[in-house]
Amino acid sequence: SVEVTGGDGAYVDIDQDQPQYQYGAYVYNQYRRSTNGGANWSSVNFSSSAGQFINPFDYDDVGNRMYCSYNAGTYLRWEDPQTGATFTPVSVTNFNGGAAMGITVSPFTANRVYFGTTSGRVVRVDNAEQATPTETNLTPAGMAGTVNSISVGSSDQFLVACVSNYGVNNVWVSSDGGTTWTQCDGNLPNIPVYWAVFHPDNNGKMIIATETGVWETESLNAGATIWAPSVNFPTVRTSMLRYRSSDRTLLASTYGRGLWTAPIPTGCTSAGVITQPVNSAACVAANASFSITATGVSYQWQESTNGGGTWNNITNGGIYGGATTTTLTL
């Protein structure tokens, strides 16, 4: 391991198509840069007081710019992070006097950056590399608190904004690029939510980082969303989630319990839901059948000969047919 900077750690990034360029942040707008894959590091310090103590930023892997939190009503654009130290403050009216807390560069649209603010705003900035960018207020009605992160699903149409306050709706989801939003707190306790990622295979599923660990849902369903805590994850504040598509690894960063990883399996389905069959009556030597209604991909009928003490799989043959279908015939 390599210690990039002592003391308080903060955000980090690695250029995804030029991985020799790596970045780490110290407090406020002070940064460390490596141009040789992490072997050596140098300091690039813009300000030791402007921005947040743990200052959010996101790196544009295509445009090779860094977008950072700065003072109220502005973001800071690092123009040449690979080679230089040119920083440009950019004012955004729609920040409504707030400072940037959630910063996400769109992976789909060039020079598009999403910002969440301390004033409870969600703002999309297009042409973010220009002196006067185009800003669009996407804030959902009823949102309150600090928007700690904004994440993108399989396209810019799918967005989730997380609010890190108590006593508010914390999970806001849009499937139309931020035109409309739905709060999806469901059965979550009253806790801050710091980060979220859409399931890589399904925009209707989500994993979130909260004050009490990692939670997930199999179906986003507005106020009826059912969230379940990850049983193998500690009950600890979890600040960020990152997904690596090359090997389907999800990483969670915690406050005091280190980094945790888990693979997201391919082709997972929800547990089957079965409507059990009703009794069937037939005359001697006639056929009887039992049918079920189920969601799933495979079925197996079983038989007990001791009142339910033990069960054995039924196989086709003799008096049985359809042992692995929705209808068993005797």
Side-chain angles (χ1 to χ4, degrees):
S1 63
V2 177
E3 184 177 19
V4 176
T5 180
D8 296 283
Y11 283 58
V12 298
D13 216 308
I14 298 174
D15 190 310
Q16 294 298 290
D17 54 18
Q18 296 175 286
Q20 67 270 30
Y21 296 107
Q22 303 184 7
Y23 307 92
Y26 185 48
V27 298
Y28 299 103
N29 274 285
Q30 302 180 82
Y31 302 96
R32 306 295 182 260
R33 171 175 61 201
S34 174
T35 61
N36 57 6
N40 302 103
W41 295 82
S42 60
S43 296
V44 182
N45 296 328
F46 177 71
S47 173
S48 60
S49 59
Q52 311 301 313
F53 181 76
I54 298 300
N55 201 52
F57 71 79
D58 200 17
Y59 182 78
D60 184 347
D61 299 294
V62 177
N64 299 325
R65 295 179 183 86
M66 191 91 80
Y67 296 93
C68 318
S69 180
Y70 191 49
N71 292 330
T74 62
Y75 64 83
L76 189 66
R77 187 174 63 228
W78 187 357
E79 309 285 7
D80 48 4
Q82 291 185 350
T83 58
T86 302
F87 291 86
T88 304
V90 180
S91 297
V92 182
T93 302
N94 279 301
F95 281 7
N96 196 33
M101 280 297 293
I103 305 175
T104 299
V105 175
S106 169
F108 303 106
T109 304
N111 301 309
R112 171 175 288 180
V113 186
Y114 297 97
F115 292 92
T117 74
T118 57
S119 57
R121 288 287 182 96
V122 177
V123 180
R124 187 186 73 218
V125 174
D126 290 296
N127 307 312
E129 85 289 3
Q130 297 181 7
T132 305
T134 303
E135 52 183 271
T136 304
N137 183 11
L138 302 179
T139 309
M143 174 176 276
T146 294
V147 182
N148 193 77
S149 71
I150 300 171
S151 299
V152 184
S154 62
S155 75
D156 278 329
Q157 293 300 298
F158 296 95
L159 305 173
V160 53
C162 298
V163 179
S164 56
N165 294 79
Y166 290 94
V168 298
N169 291 318
N170 296 95
V171 183
W172 295 83
V173 179
S174 176
S175 59
D176 55 11
T179 301
T180 59
W181 297 80
T182 304
Q183 66 85 10
C184 294
D185 284 42
N187 66 325
L188 276 178
N190 178 21
I191 53 175
V193 178
Y194 299 104
W195 213 273
V197 293
F198 289 93
H199 189 284
D201 303 326
N202 188 335
N203 291 307
K205 301 180 181 181
M206 187 170 288
I207 306 163
I208 58 175
T210 79
E211 186 69 25
T212 64
V214 173
W215 295 61
E216 53 193 307
T217 183
E218 289 290 304
S219 179
L220 290 167
N221 187 26
T225 300
I226 302 299
W227 296 94
S230 176
V231 295
N232 296 318
F233 196 86
T235 304
V236 62
R237 170 176 168 166
T238 308
S239 301
M240 184 183 291
L241 299 170
R242 289 292 195 186
Y243 174 68
R244 184 171 61 197
S245 60
S246 61
D247 59 0
R248 298 180 66 88
T249 295
L250 182 71
L251 181 144
S253 68
T254 71
Y255 195 82
R257 292 291 299 273
L259 302 175
W260 294 65
T261 62
I264 296 182
T266 304
C268 287
T269 59
S270 300
V273 178
I274 296 175
T275 301
Q276 296 290 351
V278 297
N279 292 336
S280 179
C283 295
V284 174
N287 292 337
S289 62
F290 299 96
S291 295
I292 60 170
T293 301
T295 62
V297 294
S298 62
Y299 312 90
Q300 175 63 63
W301 289 88
Q302 293 184 324
E303 177 186 46
S304 175
T305 58
N306 59 3
T310 58
W311 293 85
N312 298 299
N313 288 345
I314 293 172
T315 58
N316 292 327
I319 67 170
Y320 294 114
T324 57
T325 72
T326 56
T327 299
L328 176 72
T329 301
L330 289 72

